[in-house]
């Protein structure tokens, strides 16, 4: 006869499986619909598709605006990720290892872009960059993306730095290694999973951003999300689904690269 403990264990197990299945289905269903609609042979964006065709992918490849916007987004996200990692690592290291009177205020300022509404932040940066002469420039767009990426980078790296065994760094210093050499040869290798996680958060945040890019982009620095947004306003053919599928493929490629280099489980934690 089944005990009450076994019954509760089964309820928890199957309940957990049901919840996970629901969450996974909610995450995957939009992507499946978009990818399926991108192969539609008809003239309108709809799911399930009417027939099967690669014509919309060919149209995306031949569309100069989409291709330029794609490479602009990749270049901007990569460059902004590198800058945010450098600034974020320095900020997280200082906040963890040094205590100074304004450390809490400094930490709050770094995290403030998460709290401020993106529209308000976009308007404020537009005014600031207009005053500085950086309006609708790649530099202004880069700085704005770095600003919204820093909170995720700093929080991720702060957690990683806090978990580093400081006795290993002290041992390296006692053996004659300089602080810079200790950081490069001891701290950074131990921090590699957190660095990869921070880079992923930063890249995805920049690559998918629409609001700031709408305010700050120019005709020569239009990113792919902005181009998709503008295209949907004037057309409703499956080209937008094909472009969105390319974005999904880029994201999947980043995940596979992470798995190859360090392992996804090391990035998100076991």
């Amino acid at each position: 006869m089944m005990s009450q403990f076994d019954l509760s264990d089964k309820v928890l197990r199957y309940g957990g499986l049901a919840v996970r299945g629901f969450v996974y289905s909610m995450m995957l269903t939009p992507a499946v619909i978009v990818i399926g609609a991108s192969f539609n042979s008809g003239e309108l964006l709809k799911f399930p598709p009417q027939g099967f065709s690669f014509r919309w992918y060919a149209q995306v490849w031949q569309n100069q605006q989409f291709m330029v916007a794609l490479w602009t987004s990749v270049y901007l996200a990569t460059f902004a990720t590198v800058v945010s990692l450098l600034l974020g690592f320095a900020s997280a290291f200082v906040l963890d290892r040094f205590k100074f009177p304004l450390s809490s205020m400094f930490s709050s300022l770094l995290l403030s872009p998460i709290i401020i509404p993106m529209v308000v932040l976009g308007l404020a940066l537009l005014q600031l960059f207009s005053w500085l002469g950086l309006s609708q420039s790649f530099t202004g767009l880069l700085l704005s993306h770095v600003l919204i990426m820093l909170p995720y980078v700093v929080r991720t790296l702060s957690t990683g730095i806090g978990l580093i065994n400081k006795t290993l760094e002290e041992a390296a210093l006692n053996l004659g290694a300089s602080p810079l050499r200790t950081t490069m040869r001891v701290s950074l290798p131990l921090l590699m999973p957190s660095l990869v996680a921070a880079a992923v958060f930063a890249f995805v945040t920049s690559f998918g951003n629409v609001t700031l890019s709408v305010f700050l982009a120019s005709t020569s620095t239009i990113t792919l999300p902005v181009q998709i947004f503008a295209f949907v306003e004037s057309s409703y053919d499956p080209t937008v689904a094909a472009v969105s599928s390319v974005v999904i493929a880029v994201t999947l490629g980043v995940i596979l690269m992470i798995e190859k280099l360090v392992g996804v489980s090391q990035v998100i934690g076991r």
Side-chain angles (χ1 to χ4, degrees), residues 6-117:
D6 293 335
L7 180 61
S8 300
D9 183 63
K10 282 192 173 184
V11 169
L12 289 175
R13 185 188 310 157
Y14 291 119
L17 290 174
V19 171
R20 278 184 287 178
F22 176 75
V23 172
Y24 292 152
S25 63
M26 292 296 292
M27 293 173 60
L28 294 176
T29 299
V32 171
I33 292 175
V34 169
I35 294 174
S38 68
F39 295 106
N40 188 15
S41 60
E43 297 293 332
L44 295 177
L45 179 65
K46 62 187 305 183
F47 185 86
Q50 298 176 335
F52 184 86
S53 174
F54 287 100
R55 60 178 291 199
W56 304 112
Y57 286 93
Q59 188 157 328
V60 170
W61 182 261
Q62 296 169 2
N63 191 311
Q64 190 69 16
Q65 291 179 327
F66 277 127
M67 296 308 298
V68 171
L70 172 62
W71 290 116
T72 300
S73 292
V74 172
Y75 177 72
L76 175 64
T78 303
F79 198 9
T81 297
V82 173
V83 175
S84 65
L85 285 178
L86 293 174
L87 296 177
F89 174 75
S91 302
F93 192 85
V94 168
L95 289 172
D96 183 80
R97 301 301 169 85
F98 302 99
K99 300 302 179 184
F100 48 94
L102 299 178
S103 60
S104 59
M105 181 181 295
F106 180 62
S107 177
S108 299
L109 286 175
L110 287 173
L111 301 178
S112 61
I114 298 179
I115 304 172
I116 301 174

